Amino acid sequence: MIYRKATNDDIYNIIAMKNKVKQRIIEENLPIWLNGYPLDELIKEDIENNEGRVVEISGEIVAYSVFYHCNREYKNAFKKENLQSFGRVMVKEGYTGKHIGDFLVSKMIEEARTLNVDGLGITVDSINVKAVNLYKKHGFVKEGEELFPWAYLDKYVLYF
């Protein structure tokens, strides 16, 4: 598996994967990623800002996440401000249950450790049990919850 920054050449494949993941979320009756989120334009913006990350297997993109400084979206949401964050984590159909999400999260933690940040702060809907368990496995602890303009979310942190 290869972890790397997403490029403009990846946009079509990432958007196609996102659409399939959104369908899977609907089929699993998870009330997350509502109201069109994440829009194609948001994925394109992630990549244009060098914040998109992918996991590749044999040249095929099998996972995606945005990786950015926490203040871009969550100013003052966490006890510490100098945090990296990630979101829009998705794994391609046919690759779930194969520890790809685990690999992606571990690589983002490794990358964050190379930056001048105090750790990682993320938000997650408590109903997304698979994601919560994945983050806890990597040492994230719940720091609280908050009502954001888009959803009521739990806040998890991993301080270095």
Side-chain angles (χ1 to χ4, degrees):
M1 283 187 272
I2 297 170
Y3 169 80
R4 65 171 175 81
K5 287 184 179 180
T7 68
N8 285 331
D9 292 339
D10 300 324
I11 290 173
Y12 173 78
N13 290 325
I14 293 167
I15 289 172
M17 177 175 54
K18 174 205 51 136
N19 292 334
K20 296 260 185 182
V21 168
K22 286 181 71 165
Q23 185 59 40
R24 186 171 70 229
I25 288 169
I26 291 167
E27 290 169 4
E28 292 176 5
N29 203 28
L30 280 174
I32 58 174
W33 284 15
L34 303 173
N35 302 318
Y37 177 87
L39 297 172
D40 294 355
E41 291 75 24
L42 190 56
I43 302 291
K44 291 175 185 175
E45 182 181 306
D46 294 345
I47 295 168
E48 289 170 3
N49 291 332
N50 291 315
E51 297 171 336
R53 299 295 185 271
V54 296
V55 174
E56 222 178 46
I57 297 177
S58 301
E60 179 181 6
I61 294 172
V62 297
Y64 174 81
S65 182
V66 63
F67 181 77
Y68 55 88
H69 196 278
C70 198
N71 281 345
R72 180 161 83 74
E73 195 166 336
Y74 303 113
K75 190 148 181 80
N76 301 318
F78 298 95
K79 291 178 182 172
K80 294 185 180 183
E81 287 188 33
N82 188 25
L83 302 174
Q84 199 69 11
S85 189
F86 60 86
R88 297 188 267 293
V89 176
M90 59 185 90
V91 176
K92 189 172 186 173
E93 192 73 30
Y95 290 89
T96 58
K98 297 182 179 184
H99 307 286
I100 307 255
D102 186 54
F103 176 80
L104 177 60
V105 171
S106 69
K107 288 299 185 181
M108 288 186 289
I109 292 169
E110 284 178 26
E111 186 176 354
R113 287 184 185 278
T114 69
L115 305 172
N116 190 24
V117 295
D118 296 324
L120 283 156
I122 59 170
T123 61
V124 63
D125 193 310
S126 61
I127 200 165
N128 194 350
V129 176
K130 288 180 186 176
V132 169
N133 289 337
L134 175 63
Y135 304 148
K136 285 180 177 180
K137 175 183 172 185
H138 284 278
F140 285 83
V141 295
K142 186 175 176 181
E143 189 172 82
E145 55 275 323
E146 187 169 334
L147 178 60
F148 294 94
W150 53 91
Y152 187 81
L153 299 169
D154 290 342
K155 302 182 293 187
Y156 281 83
V157 293
L158 175 65
Y159 292 121
F160 302 149

